[in-house]
Amino acid sequence: MNILEYMETHGHEQLCVFTDKGVGIRAFIAIHDTTLGPALGGVRTWPYKSEDEALMDVLRLSRGMTYKSAAAGLNLGGGKAVIMANPQEKTEAMMRAFGQFVESQGGRYITTEDVGATTQDMEWIAQETSHVTGLPVNQGGSGDPSVMTGYGVYQGMKACAMEVWGTDSLEGRIIAIQGFGKVASYLVGHLLEEGARPIVTDINPAALKRAREQGLEVVEDPSAIYDVECDIFSPCALGAILNDGTIPRLKCKVVAGCANNQLLEDSHAVALRRRGILYAPDFIINAGGVINISLELGQPYDEEAALEKTAHIYDTVERVISMAKTEGITTAQAADRLVEERIAAMRRVKGIYL
Ligand code: NAD
């Protein structure tokens, strides 16, 4: 892998490498863009098969964080960390060594939870650095970000409904949800409150059991969720599920869900548009979690402020739809443009000598 060329092409600022054989840690921090502020992004612990695989992941994910925070109007840049290890093998020493690695960045990178991380890890990391957010509520933190992510997806869905049906009420709307995990559970709470009709599926029988116990309609075969006649299809499980195989099967007018990187390729946004399906760009609609943890930084966490800021996802989705229509581009392209314009404008502001 030609790292420097990849970084230059994709606009990365910095890549940091850390090892401590004594505690068995090998980790990378990637800082993509700090024009808007310090680079925020979670630490992922994963048994990567190779250094190349870990590097590609950390570089790709850090760029995604730049876009997510910028689109949410936060004064934060994009970063990410990966630890090459099996999450089950994590130790206090490893996490504290990682905390020192974060501290050594002097605040250019702020860490938080990601795949393979627990609140216990965050507590250990916080012993070594103050540049950590997403702490448990009992430590003055904001707790589980899924609550706000679910609320943001709900707001984004309403903005899409307004565009497609001329009303943002979701009453009576059938919403097919792929994955009934943390975010989807909070989302369903809002949907039921508004009189919508969620239909859920999951590969985990325990999640389906929980759904049935709540009186929800369930699709037993997870792969059949793409064929459900619905108003909104909501991907809340995995990435890359909008592709050549699934898009022709969709029977909805809107795609709006929390999963990251839903489009397998950029061209799939065009495929959705051709089918007359409105796509809510994932990094815009699932930003509730990052908005939530950003409100822990440098101030006591304020849930009301987090709800208010997350509700603006509605306005951002509206703006993206309007830009896409005016410029004849896909909503995915409009979302990218929105971010790139904000970063370019702030870069100009920062260029002024004071
Ligand atoms: P989760 O692990 O609680 O839920 C995901 C659910 O999807 C699980 O129940 C899992 O069994 C199910 N699933 C996996 N593969 C499936 C498949 N092929 N078909 C149907 N179900 C399947 O995770 P979560 O925190 O709810 O996050 C869901 C998605 O949203 C992830 O892609 C995550 O990266 C993204 N996301 C989450 C947050 C957050 O605040 N938690 C923020 C932004 C983005």
Side-chain angles (χ1 to χ4, degrees):
M1 180 185 178
N2 191 339
I3 298 169
L4 293 173
E5 195 179 312
Y6 182 91
M7 288 175 66
E8 277 169 9
T9 312
H10 293 84
H12 290 82
E13 289 176 13
Q14 195 178 0
L15 178 68
C16 317
V17 186
F18 178 76
T19 63
D20 185 334
K21 207 168 177 195
V23 297
I25 185 172
R26 293 170 148 197
F28 297 105
I29 291 174
I31 295 178
H32 177 254
D33 190 297
T34 55
T35 308
L36 300 177
L40 171 71
V43 51
R44 180 167 293 194
T45 303
W46 195 251
Y48 292 101
K49 291 192 194 76
S50 65
E51 281 173 26
D52 274 4
E53 196 189 359
L55 275 171
M56 188 47 86
D57 214 26
V58 78
L59 290 170
R60 199 175 50 82
L61 293 166
S62 64
R63 185 166 183 265
M65 287 308 298
T66 297
Y67 279 69
K68 189 179 291 201
S69 287
L74 303 175
N75 294 315
L76 290 166
K80 202 84 183 183
V82 299
I83 297 176
M84 294 181 69
N86 192 320
Q88 276 87 49
E89 289 162 8
K90 278 179 309 183
T91 61
E92 177 182 0
M94 273 169 84
M95 287 301 109
R96 290 185 68 156
F98 176 72
Q100 289 181 352
F101 181 28
V102 173
E103 181 65 16
S104 71
Q105 304 308 307
R108 266 175 64 72
Y109 168 70
I110 302 168
T111 200
T112 187
E113 273 191 47
D114 195 69
V115 175
T118 61
T119 43
Q120 170 69 83
D121 296 338
M122 295 303 118
E123 288 175 37
W124 282 328
I125 292 168
Q127 294 296 312
E128 306 296 333
T129 182
S130 57
H131 306 300
V132 53
T133 182
L135 292 171
V137 175
N138 62 14
Q139 292 195 18
S142 57
D144 182 0
S146 317
V147 182
M148 217 52 80
T149 306
Y151 180 60
V153 173
Y154 163 66
Q155 290 294 333
M157 271 184 186
K158 285 176 78 66
C160 292
M162 181 56 114
E163 170 65 21
V164 174
W165 297 291
T167 165
D168 69 5
S169 168
L170 297 175
E171 193 180 353
R173 296 274 166 229
I174 300 175
I175 298 162
I177 304 178
Q178 179 183 47
F180 189 54
K182 294 188 290 289
V183 177
S185 302
Y186 292 112
L187 169 65
V188 161
H190 296 294
L191 296 177
L192 291 176
E193 218 166 87
E194 198 167 319
R197 215 183 109 197
I199 301 177
V200 305
T201 196
D202 203 291
I203 51 164
N204 179 353
L208 287 186
K209 182 167 175 274
R210 189 165 51 82
R212 271 189 231 99
E213 282 166 4
Q214 290 175 27
L216 297 174
E217 285 177 64
V218 159
V219 175
E220 300 289 341
D221 171 9
S223 66
I225 195 75
Y226 301 107
D227 306 312
V228 172
E229 288 275 0
C230 59
D231 296 300
I232 302 177
F233 173 67
S234 184
C236 292
L238 304 172
I241 54 90
L242 298 171
N243 53 48
D244 291 344
T246 60
I247 291 173
R249 290 167 61 187
L250 294 177
K251 298 184 176 64
C252 60
K253 284 276 169 216
V254 173
V255 172
C258 68
N260 281 311
N261 305 318
Q262 292 168 25
L263 300 164
L264 177 62
E265 284 165 18
D266 294 347
S267 62
H268 292 116
V270 179
L272 283 170
R273 190 162 72 129
R274 282 211 189 105
R275 285 220 46 214
I277 298 173
L278 175 62
Y279 168 64
D282 44 21
F283 67 81
I284 304 259
I285 193 169
N286 72 13
V290 74
I291 291 171
N292 201 46
I293 56 176
S294 77
L295 284 159
E296 241 180 72
L297 296 169
Q299 64 207 350
Y301 173 68
D302 177 351
E303 192 186 353
E304 278 308 305
L307 279 166
E308 201 188 314
K309 219 170 164 63
T310 302
H312 283 301
I313 287 177
Y314 185 113
D315 309 319
T316 312
V317 171
E318 249 186 351
R319 220 170 125 200
V320 162
I321 294 171
S322 153
M323 193 190 246
K325 281 200 295 190
T326 314
E327 300 186 24
I329 54 179
T330 66
T331 47
Q333 287 165 326
D336 284 353
R337 204 170 281 184
L338 191 80
V339 165
E340 284 153 15
E341 281 176 8
R342 178 167 181 233
I343 293 177
M346 291 312 119
R347 205 168 273 148
R348 276 196 299 277
V349 170
K350 284 190 170 188
I352 299 168
Y353 178 77
L354 289 174

